[in-house]
Amino acid sequence: MSSDEKLLIIPIGGLGEIGKNMTAFCYGDDIVVLDSGMAFPEEDMLGIDLVIPDMTYLLDNKDKIRAVVLTHGHEDHIGSLFYLLKHVDVPVYGSRLTLGLVEGRLREYSVQANSLMPVAPGDMIRAGQFEIGFIQVNHSIADALGIYFKTPIGTVVHTGDFKIDQTPVDGKIIDIHKFAELGDQGVLVLLSDSTNAERPGFTKSERTVTEALNEHFRMAKGRIIMTTFASNVLRLQQAISSAYEFGRKVALLGRSMVTVITKAAELGYMTIPDGVLIGVEEINRYPDNQILILTTGSQGEPMAALSRLAFQNHRSMEVHRGDTVLIAATPIPGNERSVGRTIDALMRLGVDVVYERSSGIHVSGHGSQEELKLILNLVRPKFFIPVHGEYRMLKFHGKLANEVGIPKENVFIGENGQVLEFTRETGRVSGKVTAGKIFVDGLGIGDVGNIVMRDRRQLSQDGVLIVVVTLDKQNGLVLDGPDIVSRGFVYVRDADNLINEARRVVKEVLERYQNAPVTEWMPMKSDMRDSLTKYLFTKTGRKPMILPIIMEV
Amino acid sequence: MSSDEKLLIIPIGGLGEIGKNMTAFCYGDDIVVLDSGMAFPEEDMLGIDLVIPDMTYLLDNKDKIRAVVLTHGHEDHIGSLFYLLKHVDVPVYGSRLTLGLVEGRLREYSVQANSLMPVAPGDMIRAGQFEIGFIQVNHSIADALGIYFKTPIGTVVHTGDFKIDQTPVDGKIIDIHKFAELGDQGVLVLLSDSTNAERPGFTKSERTVTEALNEHFRMAKGRIIMTTFASNVLRLQQAISSAYEFGRKVALLGRSMVTVITKAAELGYMTIPDGVLIGVEEINRYPDNQILILTTGSQGEPMAALSRLAFQNHRSMEVHRGDTVLIAATPIPGNERSVGRTIDALMRLGVDVVYERSSGIHVSGHGSQEELKLILNLVRPKFFIPVHGEYRMLKFHGKLANEVGIPKENVFIGENGQVLEFTRETGRVSGKVTAGKIFVDGLGIGDVGNIVMRDRRQLSQDGVLIVVVTLDKQNGLVLDGPDIVSRGFVYVRDADNLINEARRVVKEVLERYQNAPVTEWMPMKSDMRDSLTKYLFTKTGRKPMILPIIMEV
């Protein structure tokens, strides 16, 4: 069998994690990349701004890449495209809204995209030996797509992020007919969204949100301030429609809110009635009950507009008693505390805050167990790869597949970098390529690795203590010092004694090395470090980073 | 009216937060302190081990303190007692289990408690002008108490942490008769637990856990490894009883698990059938289906036994395919990610993990809205202070009080340090005393303040860069340096150029100050700092802490 008759599916990111989704599909000499996302840093990734997938495999094979296809415009699917396109010049296919959001992001990184090619549900394109089709799905952003690949040895279907919304707000229901048709024709591999695989039942329709929102608009006596993800174009449309219905003007707060709404409206994904939008500076010209403010900050991010309002340091606006804040988003795991703090701060100002799950103003964009099973039954794949989720979610999704009749050995709970090899009849793990996390910190991409991170962790726990001494390079005599400077260790004014004692410890070491040749200064430094670590730990129970610096004159 | 006729209630900790509960009750020259808890550090409190209340007010008035009374043995109620007792020698009243746990904690801090006085539900004690009574309540630890204070101007009731469990495992139902009786006699002020004030309905009985646990014991084919808070004596008892019923031996993993179970059994709060307990080293002598292991680590704490098992670095034990791990605890907000990581790691090893809320193996120890309303209606207080909760929880609890008929102006949503003053007829906020957080870091209590914390934060984000130069103190000529050392900033081997350029920036500054008198070295240093900050930010987008050090010879 020639290698042409093998299909390789390589998850570059998105397995065993929420974020940085990216998958390579390889057939013969052709590679197609599906999505190129980013992830938010975890709490122990100190100082990191964002995380992108390690794309070594793709960059090593960049001559084979024929296309990038995008499922939708969320950051965890498009957020690392700037990096890929910096190194690889290939056409990028996605829906109009997706590409509109991509353009904005690429501009931020000054990356040129030579061919952004808009596609619509039902379109087919060709990339090498792949024929690629796009399927309408429902998600918490408009214009989301499932994608299928026809290869000489069979069809592969990727759902993208999806839910099955029987009554979507924009009327565009997920194309279950297409999934059924593909299933009828025979599908070799299905890759499907596992985010809510732990959740029983069906995810509620977006339409239920409209009703809940209208109820809050009906009740609110003062201004309404609503927050959601800026990318949640559907939810923002619902809010603007409710505002229009109840005679409220709409002001936008936060840069990404302005960017996304402008772009979405420009492309026709949002309908904003004439005269509804006003500037933030105009808010006070209207009575409170004629105002809706849409703001960023649904995750309690300290720098976002909602937190600034809550902690009263927004430059152009204040909240006050009588305002109602609607939080139309669920905290991403890890953000519960910061969201809680924002709610508390708003309540202290006398603001009504609506945030409970029971309020009905937010529903998930991902399908729950019954939806996942329905897609599995419609598509009836020979092989199944749960994607987009932490390990436990993939595992749950795999169990659901077993329940609907896909045998265990045909379900692959994969890992990033694993090479999954399929023929017409067989599927197996055939190897492993480089995969992992690349940290973006400021302007640096990948220059913060394990050593820097370990140092930041130590610095964050107990601070740093620097010992400087100037020695005579002829005879090793102390000419100045030892000077001790510490930061993040103890409050120095209270610790004069401790620092004096530390200086004595250093002096003792110096005496031991008196008249020692320059060659012994390395052991002397490590001796200083050890003696100080021991002394300081006994006295304080802390282990600051200790940096001895020897100057020579 | 003499000051004798005023009762002051001063929350020292526990309002607007979960943790470090502590309240002072003052009448005339008498102060009684209720609880003395600690809190876990929040994620931005870098390097901090634990947080205790600022007790300045109590230490300033220590001659007036007549007694400490404790509601139960959880850390957020007894964890700062070591600090209070170090400064104040007064009798401490609590149930036997509570005092047993207190003893252990005090020993860790080498603090002597001169009079730990055990009390039981129904007991009354006298402390100054206070007559103090103790009431049986249900909670997730045995021997939990509500406490009431009879003063010349009226009765104050404090629920402690509670739920209303109609079918508790130990048969000791909360003494609703006593609450009713106090209500009949008239209560001036009620303080009540707000933890679950956002939750509708009733909290489930502990007994439902027994049934769910037995079901899992019936199903498990291999070893069972169960984790819960070590202090959750009731849940541990349930597990041991199930183990006994299903013929399993029990081993304990983790220091606090051993300490608490030993103490609870010794005091008679747990019944451990003879021969059930075995040592960890004996596990392998039994078939897998005859083993239950109780372990710490229900919050995904990286150093606890369960995480060590999950990440395969426990020194004396390994988990394997076929094991079932039961996580009988809900993640405390902020711990979701670490718990998730532990579950994922266990699943990767092929272990079955039961953790979902729907599994029924854990229920909350705090009463939900219907229970809170029932207590409010039984006690019928004139004034109400919701305690033990974040601001939004207190606010919700306040609304519940309004719903059952307590007028808004009689409900105090307090803040730590607020002085609430009551007479027979009136209640008001009459002042403010010092209150806040004291950080415990290693052996230091309170020596880490805002400056140290701010430095740690900066260090954690972008690291530190140290510039050392040795100057001739006569003429300011450079004798050695500038040397540059960085940690946590960039990976230095990749950044030679950057560091060389940084050195050039420093040299330019030095040239500008050539021949300058020693008095100008301070401005020179700040000039170095500014120039380097600007240069490094342009090049890297990062702002490391910059420390210029001048040595003189």
Side-chain angles (χ1 to χ4, degrees):
Chain A
M1 192 173 65
S2 90
S3 79
D4 256 21
E5 300 218 288
K6 281 177 192 158
L7 168 73
L8 307 183
I9 299 180
I10 308 175
I12 307 294
L15 297 198
E17 62 185 344
I18 289 283
K20 68 179 178 62
N21 297 285
M22 185 173 214
T23 313
F25 295 83
C26 320
Y27 190 87
D29 275 338
D30 301 320
I31 298 178
V32 173
V33 179
L34 183 141
D35 287 342
S36 183
M38 52 146 277
F40 292 104
E42 296 183 27
E43 64 276 26
D44 59 346
M45 300 175 187
L46 299 172
I48 298 304
D49 300 320
L50 53 100
V51 181
I52 63 174
D54 184 333
M55 302 182 193
T56 304
Y57 174 77
L58 295 175
L59 302 186
D60 286 350
N61 290 281
K62 65 178 172 185
D63 295 340
K64 296 185 184 172
I65 303 179
R66 307 289 168 239
V68 176
V69 290
L70 301 174
T71 58
H72 63 284
H74 279 154
E75 289 299 338
D76 56 334
H77 294 260
I78 65 166
S80 64
L81 202 54
F82 76 93
Y83 185 72
L84 182 66
L85 293 186
K86 209 193 275 184
H87 297 93
V88 183
D89 180 18
V90 288
V92 177
Y93 298 88
S95 63
R96 284 170 60 233
L97 179 60
T98 304
L99 295 184
L101 295 170
V102 162
E103 267 177 358
R105 294 289 283 151
L106 292 181
R107 211 173 304 124
E108 278 177 44
Y109 287 95
S110 317
V111 171
Q112 192 72 31
N114 292 320
S115 45
L116 296 182
M117 318 282 282
V119 290
D123 286 357
M124 295 287 295
I125 60 150
R126 174 167 276 284
Q129 295 182 74
F130 291 97
E131 266 187 281
I132 305 173
F134 300 89
I135 315 170
Q136 175 87 51
V137 300
N138 299 124
H139 187 42
S140 50
I141 186 168
D143 236 14
L145 298 170
I147 298 180
Y148 62 96
F149 302 84
K150 297 213 160 185
T151 77
I153 62 160
T155 301
V156 178
V157 178
H158 192 299
T159 62
D161 291 11
F162 81 101
K163 66 191 277 189
I164 296 176
D165 193 338
Q166 309 283 357
T167 54
V169 180
D170 57 6
K172 296 181 184 170
I173 180 177
I174 178 173
D175 190 352
I176 31 183
H177 291 92
K178 187 70 201 178
F179 284 102
E181 184 193 317
L182 289 166
D184 276 346
Q185 294 164 356
V187 168
L188 185 65
V189 189
L190 170 69
L191 300 93
S192 176
D193 173 8
S194 312
T195 313
N196 276 346
E198 296 168 297
R199 238 198 244 182
F202 268 91
T203 300
K204 280 194 181 172
S205 168
E206 294 290 319
R207 191 168 299 266
T208 62
V209 173
T210 311
E211 289 154 22
L213 269 186
N214 281 346
E215 190 53 32
H216 286 291
F217 273 76
R218 198 170 288 126
M219 304 290 290
K221 297 204 175 63
R223 301 184 299 185
I224 297 178
I225 298 159
M226 175 166 151
T227 184
T228 185
F229 288 103
S231 63
N232 198 332
V233 173
L234 298 172
R235 186 84 66 259
L236 294 169
Q237 175 69 67
Q238 288 169 316
I240 291 174
S241 302
S242 294
Y244 184 65
E245 192 177 331
F246 289 91
R248 288 175 185 258
K249 300 287 177 186
V250 181
L252 308 180
L253 220 56
R255 196 170 55 99
S256 58
M257 199 51 84
V258 176
T259 317
V260 174
I261 290 188
T262 310
K263 179 55 84 178
E266 184 190 311
L267 294 173
Y269 290 92
M270 289 184 75
T271 315
I272 303 180
D274 280 349
V276 162
L277 274 191
I278 61 169
V280 175
E281 68 290 350
E282 295 176 87
I283 290 173
N284 293 330
R285 291 197 214 147
Y286 297 84
D288 279 3
N289 64 2
Q290 291 177 19
I291 290 292
L292 165 67
I293 295 152
L294 295 176
T295 174
T296 54
S298 66
Q299 295 298 309
E301 312 92 315
M303 305 308 284
L306 188 66
S307 301
R308 290 184 182 276
L309 291 174
F311 294 101
Q312 295 183 285
N313 55 14
H314 195 281
R315 78 193 130 63
S316 53
M317 199 193 133
E318 282 189 352
V319 291
H320 52 67
R321 193 169 293 276
D323 291 341
T324 300
V325 170
L326 306 178
I327 301 184
T330 311
I332 294 172
N335 292 347
E336 292 84 354
R337 275 191 174 188
S338 55
V339 173
R341 273 194 293 263
T342 306
I343 295 169
D344 287 341
L346 288 165
M347 282 187 165
R348 278 179 217 272
L349 298 173
V351 171
D352 278 327
V353 188
V354 178
Y355 62 95
E356 313 96 285
R357 224 168 253 238
S358 57
S359 70
I361 59 172
H362 180 62
V363 295
S364 172
H366 300 271
S368 301
Q369 290 176 353
E370 294 307 315
E371 287 149 280
L372 302 181
K373 284 188 276 185
L374 182 51
I375 288 292
L376 281 159
N377 275 327
L378 284 172
V379 177
R380 288 188 294 209
K382 189 170 177 63
F383 298 102
F384 176 54
I385 309 172
V387 295
H388 204 283
E390 307 276 359
Y391 190 80
R392 58 193 179 281
M393 302 165 191
L394 306 180
K395 202 74 182 169
F396 254 96
H397 202 175
K399 271 191 205 159
L400 295 179
N402 302 151
E403 284 173 22
V404 303
I406 301 176
K408 271 195 177 173
E409 60 276 17
N410 286 10
V411 174
F412 294 93
I413 309 294
E415 273 176 32
N416 294 334
Q418 231 169 30
V419 180
L420 301 169
E421 183 191 281
F422 298 93
T423 65
R424 284 172 211 272
E425 300 299 331
T426 64
R428 67 182 186 110
V429 177
S430 70
K432 184 113 180 102
V433 304
T434 306
K437 299 174 167 67
I438 301 288
F439 296 144
V440 179
D441 179 5
L443 304 175
I445 300 175
D447 63 339
V448 172
N450 289 334
I451 297 175
V452 172
M453 201 53 70
R454 196 195 56 206
D455 286 348
R456 285 187 187 171
R457 248 169 247 144
Q458 192 186 353
L459 290 166
S460 76
Q461 291 304 298
D462 290 324
V464 61
L465 187 133
I466 302 143
V467 185
V468 192
V469 56
T470 302
L471 300 181
D472 188 321
K473 70 179 139 196
Q474 307 301 329
N475 53 24
L477 280 179
V478 176
L479 298 177
D480 190 24
D483 279 12
I484 289 185
V485 176
S486 87
R487 289 289 187 281
F489 170 48
V490 285
Y491 185 53
V492 180
R493 214 168 298 171
D494 296 347
D496 274 356
N497 250 332
L498 185 72
I499 298 295
N500 283 336
E501 279 298 291
R503 203 173 286 122
R504 188 188 49 73
V505 171
V506 176
K507 277 183 186 154
E508 282 171 16
V509 176
L510 285 167
E511 273 161 29
R512 253 180 279 147
Y513 285 84
Q514 228 171 21
N515 300 320
V518 179
T519 50
E520 288 201 15
W521 290 4
M522 282 299 281
M524 176 174 72
K525 274 173 153 185
S526 98
D527 205 346
M528 273 184 201
R529 206 178 286 123
D530 295 346
S531 307
L532 274 177
T533 301
K534 210 173 133 195
Y535 173 76
L536 295 173
F537 186 74
T538 315
K539 286 292 168 186
T540 66
R542 297 174 203 168
K543 291 188 172 176
M545 178 182 284
I546 291 172
L547 296 176
I549 301 176
I550 312 282
M551 304 296 286
E552 319 163 7
V553 172
Chain B
M1 192 171 63
S2 91
S3 79
D4 255 19
E5 301 218 288
K6 281 177 192 158
L7 168 72
L8 306 183
I9 300 180
I10 308 176
I12 307 293
L15 297 197
E17 62 185 343
I18 290 283
K20 69 179 179 59
N21 298 285
M22 183 174 216
T23 313
F25 295 83
C26 321
Y27 190 87
D29 276 337
D30 301 322
I31 296 178
V32 174
V33 179
L34 182 141
D35 288 341
S36 184
M38 52 146 277
F40 292 104
E42 296 182 28
E43 64 277 25
D44 60 346
M45 300 175 186
L46 299 171
I48 299 304
D49 300 320
L50 54 100
V51 181
I52 62 174
D54 183 334
M55 303 182 193
T56 305
Y57 174 79
L58 294 176
L59 302 186
D60 287 350
N61 291 281
K62 65 178 173 184
D63 295 340
K64 297 185 184 173
I65 302 178
R66 307 290 167 239
V68 175
V69 290
L70 301 174
T71 57
H72 64 285
H74 279 154
E75 289 299 339
D76 57 333
H77 294 260
I78 65 167
S80 64
L81 201 54
F82 76 93
Y83 186 73
L84 182 67
L85 294 186
K86 208 193 276 184
H87 298 94
V88 183
D89 180 18
V90 290
V92 177
Y93 298 89
S95 63
R96 283 169 60 236
L97 179 60
T98 304
L99 296 183
L101 295 169
V102 161
E103 267 177 356
R105 295 287 286 151
L106 292 180
R107 210 174 304 124
E108 279 177 45
Y109 288 95
S110 316
V111 171
Q112 191 74 30
N114 292 319
S115 44
L116 296 183
M117 319 282 281
V119 291
D123 285 358
M124 294 287 297
I125 60 151
R126 172 168 279 282
Q129 295 183 74
F130 290 98
E131 267 189 279
I132 304 174
F134 301 88
I135 315 169
Q136 173 89 51
V137 299
N138 299 123
H139 186 42
S140 49
I141 187 169
D143 237 13
L145 298 170
I147 298 179
Y148 63 95
F149 303 84
K150 298 214 160 186
T151 76
I153 63 161
T155 301
V156 178
V157 178
H158 192 298
T159 61
D161 291 10
F162 81 101
K163 67 192 276 189
I164 296 176
D165 193 337
Q166 309 283 357
T167 54
V169 181
D170 57 5
K172 296 182 184 168
I173 180 176
I174 177 172
D175 190 352
I176 32 184
H177 291 92
K178 188 70 201 176
F179 285 102
E181 182 194 317
L182 289 165
D184 276 347
Q185 294 164 357
V187 168
L188 185 64
V189 188
L190 170 69
L191 301 93
S192 177
D193 174 7
S194 311
T195 313
N196 277 345
E198 297 168 295
R199 237 199 246 183
F202 268 91
T203 300
K204 281 193 180 172
S205 168
E206 294 290 320
R207 191 168 299 264
T208 62
V209 172
T210 310
E211 289 155 23
L213 268 186
N214 281 346
E215 190 53 30
H216 286 290
F217 273 74
R218 199 169 289 126
M219 304 290 289
K221 296 201 176 64
R223 301 185 299 186
I224 297 178
I225 298 159
M226 176 167 151
T227 184
T228 186
F229 288 103
S231 62
N232 197 333
V233 174
L234 297 173
R235 185 84 66 259
L236 294 169
Q237 175 69 67
Q238 287 170 316
I240 292 173
S241 302
S242 294
Y244 184 65
E245 193 176 331
F246 290 89
R248 287 175 184 258
K249 300 285 178 189
V250 180
L252 308 180
L253 219 56
R255 196 171 55 98
S256 58
M257 198 53 82
V258 176
T259 318
V260 173
I261 291 188
T262 311
K263 180 54 84 177
E266 181 190 315
L267 294 173
Y269 289 94
M270 288 182 77
T271 314
I272 303 180
D274 279 350
V276 162
L277 273 191
I278 60 169
V280 174
E281 68 290 352
E282 294 175 88
I283 290 174
N284 294 329
R285 291 196 215 148
Y286 297 86
D288 280 3
N289 64 1
Q290 291 179 19
I291 289 294
L292 165 68
I293 295 152
L294 296 175
T295 174
T296 53
S298 67
Q299 295 299 308
E301 311 92 317
M303 305 309 285
L306 188 64
S307 302
R308 288 183 183 278
L309 291 176
F311 295 101
Q312 296 183 283
N313 55 14
H314 195 281
R315 79 194 128 62
S316 53
M317 199 194 133
E318 281 189 353
V319 291
H320 52 66
R321 193 170 292 277
D323 290 343
T324 300
V325 170
L326 306 178
I327 301 184
T330 311
I332 293 172
N335 292 348
E336 291 84 354
R337 274 191 175 189
S338 55
V339 173
R341 270 193 294 263
T342 306
I343 295 171
D344 286 340
L346 288 166
M347 283 190 166
R348 277 179 217 271
L349 299 173
V351 171
D352 279 326
V353 188
V354 178
Y355 62 95
E356 313 95 284
R357 224 167 252 236
S358 56
S359 70
I361 59 173
H362 180 63
V363 295
S364 172
H366 300 272
S368 302
Q369 291 177 353
E370 294 308 314
E371 288 149 279
L372 302 181
K373 285 188 276 186
L374 181 53
I375 288 293
L376 281 158
N377 275 327
L378 284 172
V379 177
R380 288 186 296 209
K382 188 170 176 66
F383 298 102
F384 177 55
I385 310 173
V387 296
H388 204 282
E390 307 275 0
Y391 190 80
R392 58 191 180 282
M393 302 164 190
L394 305 180
K395 201 76 182 168
F396 254 94
H397 204 175
K399 270 191 206 162
L400 295 179
N402 300 152
E403 284 173 23
V404 303
I406 301 176
K408 272 194 177 172
E409 61 276 18
N410 285 12
V411 174
F412 295 92
I413 309 294
E415 274 174 31
N416 293 333
Q418 230 170 32
V419 180
L420 300 169
E421 183 191 283
F422 298 93
T423 65
R424 284 173 211 270
E425 301 298 332
T426 65
R428 65 180 187 112
V429 178
S430 71
K432 184 113 180 101
V433 304
T434 305
K437 299 172 167 66
I438 301 287
F439 296 143
V440 179
D441 179 7
L443 304 174
I445 299 175
D447 62 339
V448 172
N450 290 335
I451 296 175
V452 171
M453 202 52 70
R454 197 194 54 204
D455 286 347
R456 285 185 187 172
R457 248 168 247 146
Q458 193 186 353
L459 290 167
S460 76
Q461 291 302 299
D462 290 324
V464 61
L465 188 133
I466 302 141
V467 184
V468 192
V469 56
T470 303
L471 300 181
D472 187 322
K473 71 179 139 197
Q474 307 301 329
N475 53 24
L477 280 179
V478 176
L479 298 178
D480 190 23
D483 279 11
I484 290 185
V485 175
S486 88
R487 286 292 186 279
F489 169 48
V490 284
Y491 185 53
V492 180
R493 215 169 299 171
D494 297 346
D496 275 357
N497 249 331
L498 185 73
I499 298 295
N500 283 337
E501 279 298 292
R503 203 173 286 123
R504 188 187 50 74
V505 171
V506 176
K507 278 184 186 155
E508 280 172 17
V509 175
L510 285 166
E511 273 161 32
R512 251 179 279 147
Y513 285 85
Q514 225 170 22
N515 301 318
V518 178
T519 50
E520 290 203 12
W521 290 4
M522 283 299 280
M524 177 174 72
K525 273 172 152 184
S526 100
D527 205 345
M528 273 183 203
R529 206 177 287 120
D530 295 346
S531 307
L532 273 176
T533 301
K534 209 173 132 196
Y535 173 76
L536 295 173
F537 187 73
T538 314
K539 288 290 169 189
T540 66
R542 297 174 203 167
K543 291 188 172 176
M545 177 183 284
I546 291 171
L547 296 175
I549 302 176
I550 312 280
M551 304 296 285
E552 320 163 7
V553 173

